[in-house]
Amino acid sequence: MKRRIFKFYILSAITLVGIYSCTNLEIEESDSIISDGFQGLADPSSAVEGLYNTIAGQYGDQANRFALNEVTTDAALVPTRGTDWGDNGRWRNLHTHDWTTEAGDIIGPFNQFNANQLVASQILDSRSNPSGQNIGDASFLRAYSMWNILDWFGQIPFRDTSLPSSTLPEVITGQAAVDFILADLDQAIANLPDVTAGNVENNKGSKAAARFLKAKVLLNKHIYIGGSPESSDMNEVVSLVDAIAAQGYGLQAGYFNIFRDSADDETIFALASGVGNRIFNGLHYNSTSLGGGGWNGFSTLAEYYDLFEGDPNNNRLDASGAPLDGQEERRGGVPPGGTTYSNAPQTTDDGGFEAGSNVGNGFLVGQQYALDGSALEDRAGGPLSFGRDFVDGNGNNSLINNSEVTGIRVIKYAPRYGEFRSHQVVFRYADAHLMKAEAQMRSGGDPTALVNELRAIRGVAPFGSVSEQELLNERGRELFAETWRRNDMIRFGQYTRAWEFKSADKVGDVTRQLFPIPAAQLLANPNLTQNPGY
């Protein structure tokens, strides 16, 4: 990787010498472009903190990374309601797989995560004099950023900070890219601190977090290099998850409590990322007084909602929070009103009720209610009752001309515990547990016992056996809205299948498993090549 770029520099330096016909052929520092560009960071610790904060902001965004990983799947879509959420087809094209090389939600992540890995490389440069902790954090964040780029685009432009900034970044792909990321993660594991369960802080890496990401990379390795999963990789996934469990991480009862800003046994890595987008992007304008109401956009497909146990048309709770429609805990439910204010932690008073407590957890379908128990209305005075279907004014299935109440809405972070708190779970043990089950399955074992262990904690009946399809479904039930859906669907061979509103000519189109390299980047760096199909 380095050798080819170094030759480019030497030739450049020789050319400059020839052009200027210097009488002194000794190349001084002032004569050569070799010394141009980066010279080290004065404060690598501040750079690490800034990089964590940057990634936290990227993670909390409803566009870009979230849109690529969720809206391009069966788990999320954003219909146009009147003039709202039109945006020149931006959201619809992601869901139908009709994106182009000029899509902002493709250009943005390419630029953002490549910028992240450059900052991390600058921290790791010996001229920055990084501490062991700096090396651990920067290696972890560089691996995370490069893995995202590899997963989305299949190729990573890498800039060596020891070379002049005018040098074109080399592009790494396949096995070389995987090896680079895994080496960074090994370096992160060696340098990051041990953080046991219940002690995870926002924006803090740990050995457990690096092990989680290494397991994720190994589980997906065959997608990036071709072929089938290797038993040795699957065995290492199991070992990595076991090492995480040895630090006290495990499955925790009380599903939605995991997504509060408090200690739990499941959270492995969290970012100081605002939850406001996750809350308001799907709620109706009249759903709550918090934040001035919702933005009435994001919804989920009925087919995704139907993965969960319960009545397909209702998802109600009684006043105590008990399910009324046979739904499993993870599907959540719609309460009949607000909860009386009792000064419970993280809650605020709103006229004797906990502010936002009329908004349910999980999947919101059917009539919605105000804090006092009265039925809410939409802006036209009709019932605020979220429906399963996306239809236009003529009753035809459509992603445009929808009313204010089409589509089931999704809430993972309850607004009653702080609608603008900065805490989002990124890695958690339930995911690691299911990765272990999958690794066992892909190396010839039976994942049933591990899947049933999770289902027992979540209060749903055990399976007699677990197929590959059922394992994907279980990941969908457990990890909804946590930005893993695209990655999972590709690994299970489901990303090219049909779902509601996907364009017919994109069904079965394997070229959509990678996003296009932005046109401006191709012009700037001829080492990049456009992905097939674009």
Side-chain angles (χ1 to χ4, degrees):
M1 174 169 59
K2 214 167 182 179
R3 183 178 302 162
R4 183 165 55 137
I5 298 176
F6 183 67
K7 286 180 178 178
F8 174 85
Y9 284 115
I10 294 300
L11 288 172
S12 299
I14 291 171
T15 301
L16 286 173
V17 171
I19 289 173
Y20 290 104
S21 300
C22 297
T23 55
N24 179 6
L25 295 181
E26 181 179 354
I27 300 177
E28 301 291 343
E29 188 173 51
S30 60
D31 295 330
S32 173
I33 64 170
I34 294 176
S35 63
D36 289 347
F38 181 72
Q39 296 296 315
L41 297 173
D43 189 349
S45 295
S46 292
V48 166
E49 182 179 358
L51 185 53
Y52 272 115
N53 289 333
T54 295
I55 291 174
Q58 294 162 352
Y59 190 84
D61 190 359
Q62 67 188 356
N64 296 307
R65 183 184 185 278
F66 184 87
L68 293 190
N69 288 339
E70 294 287 336
V71 181
T72 68
T73 75
D74 62 344
L77 74 168
V78 189
T80 300
R81 308 178 191 280
T83 59
D84 291 348
W85 298 97
D87 298 321
N88 296 314
R90 169 185 184 177
W91 308 101
R92 300 193 304 271
N93 289 340
L94 290 176
H95 187 73
T96 62
H97 283 206
D98 290 315
W99 56 72
T100 69
T101 59
E102 300 303 316
D105 293 296
I106 291 171
I107 295 171
F110 188 93
N111 294 339
Q112 291 169 351
F113 283 80
N114 278 306
N116 294 346
Q117 58 114 333
L118 176 57
V119 173
S121 293
Q122 291 174 336
I123 296 167
L124 291 166
D125 191 298
S126 60
R127 292 169 293 178
S128 297
N129 296 314
S131 67
Q133 176 77 49
N134 296 155
I135 291 171
D137 284 314
S139 298
F140 171 59
L141 294 178
R142 185 167 70 176
Y144 176 71
S145 298
M146 293 179 73
W147 171 71
N148 274 286
I149 292 294
L150 179 64
D151 195 61
W152 292 324
F153 299 99
Q155 50 189 303
I156 308 168
F158 179 76
R159 184 181 295 282
D160 188 334
T161 57
S162 68
L163 300 175
S165 56
S166 56
T167 306
L168 294 176
E170 186 174 5
V171 174
I172 54 176
T173 62
Q175 186 71 58
V178 170
D179 289 346
F180 193 110
I181 294 166
L182 292 177
D184 261 0
L185 289 171
D186 286 338
Q187 186 164 250
I189 292 168
N191 286 277
L192 286 171
D194 281 304
V195 177
T196 54
N199 296 292
V200 173
E201 297 181 55
N202 292 338
N203 289 0
K204 299 288 185 181
S206 68
K207 292 185 188 302
R211 288 180 177 126
F212 177 100
L213 184 54
K214 185 176 182 181
K216 186 72 72 174
V217 173
L218 289 170
L219 195 64
N220 288 277
K221 177 180 170 182
H222 65 287
I223 301 298
Y224 309 136
I225 69 173
S228 302
E230 297 178 10
S231 293
S232 59
D233 290 331
M234 298 303 98
N235 291 338
E236 188 169 1
V237 170
V238 172
S239 296
L240 288 162
V241 175
D242 287 345
I244 294 170
Q247 293 185 292
Y249 297 93
L251 303 174
Q252 174 176 304
Y255 183 72
F256 288 104
N257 288 334
I258 298 165
F259 305 98
R260 296 176 61 177
D261 191 2
S262 54
D264 64 79
D265 291 338
E266 281 213 19
T267 300
I268 296 170
F269 177 52
L271 287 167
S273 182
V275 300
N277 285 331
R278 300 291 181 267
I279 291 172
F280 294 116
N281 65 17
L283 290 181
H284 186 269
Y285 317 103
N286 297 337
S287 290
T288 176
S289 62
L290 291 174
W295 309 329
N296 209 40
F298 285 57
S299 309
T300 192
L301 291 177
E303 66 184 74
Y304 192 85
Y305 169 79
D306 288 342
L307 293 175
F308 297 81
E309 293 183 8
D311 186 327
N313 298 303
N314 296 288
N315 200 39
R316 300 168 298 165
L317 303 172
D318 67 17
S320 71
L324 292 173
D325 297 308
Q327 70 266 39
E328 60 174 281
E329 177 190 21
R330 293 175 295 193
R331 206 175 80 170
V334 177
T339 300
T340 301
Y341 182 69
S342 62
N343 202 32
Q346 301 174 324
T347 64
T348 57
D349 185 12
D350 185 353
F353 296 96
E354 289 183 2
S357 59
N358 62 305
V359 176
N361 286 322
F363 294 80
L364 309 185
V365 62
Q367 179 64 52
Q368 308 296 297
Y369 298 92
L371 286 169
D372 63 4
S374 59
L376 287 170
E377 297 179 341
D378 65 17
R379 293 184 298 180
L384 184 56
S385 180
F386 297 135
R388 292 168 55 91
D389 299 322
F390 299 90
V391 294
D392 61 21
N394 297 317
N396 299 315
N397 285 353
S398 177
L399 272 176
I400 60 173
N401 298 323
N402 274 230
S403 75
E404 294 183 2
V405 296
T406 58
I408 300 165
R409 314 306 169 85
V410 181
I411 291 288
K412 199 124 192 189
Y413 292 85
R416 68 194 290 183
Y417 299 119
E419 75 275 28
F420 292 114
R421 66 191 183 276
S422 293
H423 172 80
Q424 285 201 54
V425 179
V426 183
F427 301 159
R428 63 187 180 93
Y429 186 78
D431 188 353
H433 185 83
L434 289 173
M435 284 198 289
K436 179 179 177 178
E438 184 179 341
Q440 289 185 345
M441 179 190 71
R442 296 195 186 282
S443 55
D446 185 354
T448 304
L450 285 172
V451 172
N452 282 340
E453 185 180 346
L454 173 63
R455 289 179 64 80
I457 292 287
R458 302 296 181 236
V460 282
F463 291 128
S465 62
V466 173
S467 65
E468 186 169 313
Q469 181 65 56
E470 198 54 74
L471 183 52
L472 174 63
N473 291 348
E474 191 67 17
R475 287 189 62 82
R477 288 184 284 264
E478 179 66 25
L479 300 167
F480 68 88
E482 294 183 51
T483 72
W484 295 115
R485 188 60 174 173
R486 172 187 170 273
N487 177 262
D488 286 347
M489 293 189 84
I490 290 174
R491 195 172 62 257
F492 281 84
Q494 300 263 331
Y495 192 64
T496 61
R497 71 167 174 81
W499 57 69
E500 189 175 22
F501 299 118
K502 181 188 273 190
S503 293
D505 64 333
K506 300 303 187 297
V507 175
D509 185 353
V510 295
T511 68
R512 295 283 135 169
Q513 293 188 157
L514 289 175
F515 297 112
I517 305 299
Q521 297 297 329
L522 290 171
L523 291 173
N525 185 359
N527 291 328
L528 289 163
T529 58
Q530 187 56 276
N531 285 321
Y534 298 102

